[in-house]
Amino acid sequence: MKSFVPLLCCAVLALFTDPVRAAAPAATYDVVVYGGTSGGVAAAVQAARMQAKVVLIEPSQHLGGLSSGGLGATDVGHPDSIGGVSREFYRRVKRYYADPAAWRYGRAEDYRSHRHDPASDMMLHFEPHVAEQIFREMAREAKVDVVLGERLDLARGVEKQGAQIRTITMESGRRFGAKMFIDATYEGDLMAKAGVAYTLGRESTRTYGEPKNGNQWRHMRERPRPVGHDFFRAVDPYVRPGDSRSGTIFGVPAAGAGVEGAADQYVQAYCYRLCLTDVPENRVPFPQPADYEPAHYELLLRYLTSEKMLPEWPDGPAIENPVLGHNLLSTPPVVIMPNRKSDSNTKGAVSFNFIGGNYEYPDGDYATRERIIRAHESWQMGLVWFVANDPRVPAKYREPLKTWGLAKDEFLDHGHWPHQLYIREARRMVADFVMNQRVCEGTEVVADPVALGSYTMDSHNVRRYIDEHGFVRNEGTLGMSVPKPYGISYRSIVPKKDQCTNLLVPVCISASHVVYGSMRMEPVFMMLGQSAATAAVQAIAASAAVQDLRYTALRERLLADGQVLVVTTPKRAATARK
């Protein structure tokens, strides 16, 4: 007789290795929020306040996304457009800094900033660690279950039954089930793995009838003067100047201008928002990256030392010198954050933005993204080191950096370097309604607003190319004004019904590339997160798909919770909301 022991062992082994049968029981909730960005925190807090059982899952060890990751100088068009949990956050910031003990390097009465309005009930500038402290307090006060260090299994992390998500599984094997799910990540992984349609890059001018979408090389060169992210000096792109056979220098692809208005897969460039200080006792010297390569900054060196202007701007722009990041190379350096700190963003033709280095990020797996993140860190860290230390850099650029460094009391677990890369744009959902340029410009009004946008339609450069004269160019910068606050449609944060009926997406919303540049602001993500959570809880109560929710009931609750859905005051006359 044959022994049954080997068969039994195989059966037991299969039981523990089969991903379906060996799956751990799912922790069950009313609402699962995936992504601890500012929008994710706002969503979780709102759901909990509506008496839902909610869990907030964040892949990193930090809450707040970019708001706690370096972007402390909040971008906002019309201050009165901020409402609800979002406004509460900025009110808490002001309350924090009302305590004299919060001012370790200076006094509150001496603080000045171009965006700081002492008469407002909000404070829009804050230190990164203060933002994270407030986000954690809000989640704790609302009794939100917070799970850190868990990320979605990209291979088999979403279990659906029909058009409904039943459970999501983390790489660790932990499973979470819920009636409603909210994807509040910058990347939209839950949305994508749930089978929801999305797009990447720029649509053509014809897709939604948007004259400023797609490749805009001609538009950029026909401007009366260059803007801060343009080249205005002529720079040769070749390793041996003038010799195209020698190949191009680092950061310059061997590509031409392309077709004006055409679609592509390029997304806005990424960078880190550096928190710097000139306070000696709180300053850490700029680090040199382990893989530092001076040749990677040849483009910058050529730009800094070029004396030849580009053909369309022979007399040069009003700005005297290219600038490498807000508050970094201005003279004297401008402090815009409390406690003598900066929020240093990209600024200039060759700056913190690692143009062209992020194309694989939105759809990439975790290993691909990690490689891209490390490349961005190396580029930006090396750039600052290069400017501060390379003797070939003119002294007028080197000297201002001597008294600056990373803030010692920020990002303690990441070498004082920001823990969050600025993901300006990744996936964008394609829903039944796509926010478009006409809505931003006020010629089309949505009937179901759940938040307001008011910031400029702002896109950073997406690529470099070599022009017909053999000079390096940047392309993709947009800065089109918004005449007044506009409504963001509820339909733009819910998928098509046949794709998923219990998911809301308040960050990777359904919007064209052009208008996403206006809505990709942290206050807006918080407002949309709150509205998504409100809709999720109401849909649970009504046993309804999120697409079938009655808007009048949603609107009533949003207004009751302080959301702002219309603004009538002119921007200059905006008054503080009490």
Side-chain angles (χ1 to χ4, degrees), residues 429-486:
M429 181 169 64
V430 180
D432 285 330
F433 184 80
V434 179
M435 294 289 293
N436 58 72
Q437 190 175 335
R438 295 182 300 280
V439 177
C440 281
E441 292 173 343
T443 59
E444 180 178 343
V445 178
V446 302
D448 55 351
V450 289
L452 296 179
S454 63
Y455 195 70
T456 301
M457 285 179 273
D458 175 32
S459 172
H460 283 243
N461 283 311
V462 304
R463 68 184 184 112
R464 288 198 174 104
Y465 69 94
I466 301 172
D467 72 10
E468 68 276 18
H469 305 291
F471 300 132
V472 186
R473 299 281 189 160
N474 288 341
E475 190 271 312
T477 290
L478 294 174
M480 300 177 289
S481 63
V482 171
K484 62 181 181 180
Y486 58 88

Side-chain angles (χ1 to χ4, degrees), residues 278-567:
D278 62 351
V279 177
E281 61 267 37
N282 194 37
R283 187 178 68 217
V284 175
F286 293 120
Q288 182 183 25
D291 58 351
Y292 176 68
E293 175 51 70
H296 287 178
Y297 306 100
E298 177 66 22
L299 177 62
L300 172 61
L301 183 64
R302 292 185 186 185
Y303 185 47
L304 294 177
T305 56
S306 173
E307 297 181 355
K308 182 177 182 179
M309 306 307 295
L310 287 168
E312 61 264 40
W313 298 307
D315 299 323
I319 18 181
E320 168 64 20
N321 295 314
V323 197
L324 294 178
H326 298 320
N327 323 306
L328 183 57
L329 295 187
S330 54
T331 307
V334 180
V335 177
I336 63 170
M337 310 299 290
N339 288 307
R340 293 204 60 80
K341 294 176 183 175
S342 78
D343 168 0
S344 293
N345 191 10
T346 195
K347 183 73 172 179
V350 189
S351 184
F352 292 168
N353 277 351
F354 188 25
I355 298 175
N358 62 347
Y359 298 154
E360 294 179 85
Y361 184 91
D363 253 350
D365 59 19
Y366 294 132
T368 299
R369 289 179 184 167
E370 183 63 23
R371 171 177 55 79
I372 291 169
I373 288 170
R374 295 284 76 82
H376 278 73
E377 182 178 290
S378 175
W379 161 260
Q380 193 165 337
M381 193 180 290
L383 181 144
V384 178
W385 175 267
F386 176 81
V387 175
N389 294 279
D390 197 298
R392 295 173 297 168
V393 175
K396 62 183 176 181
Y397 302 116
R398 275 187 289 116
E399 290 301 316
L401 289 185
K402 289 184 177 179
T403 59
W404 285 82
L406 302 178
K408 186 185 297 183
D409 58 352
E410 299 289 351
F411 312 120
L412 303 184
D413 62 347
H414 202 240
H416 312 290
W417 189 267
H419 50 69
Q420 175 66 59
L421 180 64
Y422 194 170
I423 309 301
R424 289 191 173 92
E425 180 183 26
R427 296 179 176 111
R428 302 189 310 278
M429 181 169 64
V430 180
D432 285 330
F433 184 80
V434 179
M435 294 289 293
N436 58 72
Q437 190 175 335
R438 295 182 300 280
V439 177
C440 281
E441 292 173 343
T443 59
E444 180 178 343
V445 178
V446 302
D448 55 351
V450 289
L452 296 179
S454 63
Y455 195 70
T456 301
M457 285 179 273
D458 175 32
S459 172
H460 283 243
N461 283 311
V462 304
R463 68 184 184 112
R464 288 198 174 104
Y465 69 94
I466 301 172
D467 72 10
E468 68 276 18
H469 305 291
F471 300 132
V472 186
R473 299 281 189 160
N474 288 341
E475 190 271 312
T477 290
L478 294 174
M480 300 177 289
S481 63
V482 171
K484 62 181 181 180
Y486 58 88
I488 301 174
S489 171
Y490 175 65
R491 290 164 291 161
S492 70
I493 67 170
V494 297
K496 296 179 180 180
K497 190 174 181 180
D498 63 340
Q499 294 174 0
C500 196
T501 58
N502 65 337
L503 174 69
L504 297 106
V505 185
V507 176
C508 295
I509 67 174
S510 179
S512 72
H513 163 81
V514 171
V515 301
Y516 192 77
S518 172
M519 291 179 284
R520 62 178 180 84
M521 305 300 151
E522 295 289 294
V524 176
F525 289 154
M526 282 188 266
M527 290 186 287
L528 289 173
Q530 177 182 349
S531 295
T534 304
V537 177
Q538 287 191 337
I540 292 172
S543 298
V546 292
Q547 294 84 1
D548 296 335
L549 193 64
R550 193 162 59 92
Y551 174 70
T552 52
L554 175 60
R555 182 178 186 275
E556 182 180 346
R557 181 61 192 252
L558 294 179
L559 293 174
D561 288 337
Q563 285 283 49
V564 178
L565 302 182
V566 64
V567 169

Side-chain angles (χ1 to χ4, degrees), residues 149 164 238 431 541 578:
Q164 273 200 328
Y238 302 113
K578 302 300 183 184

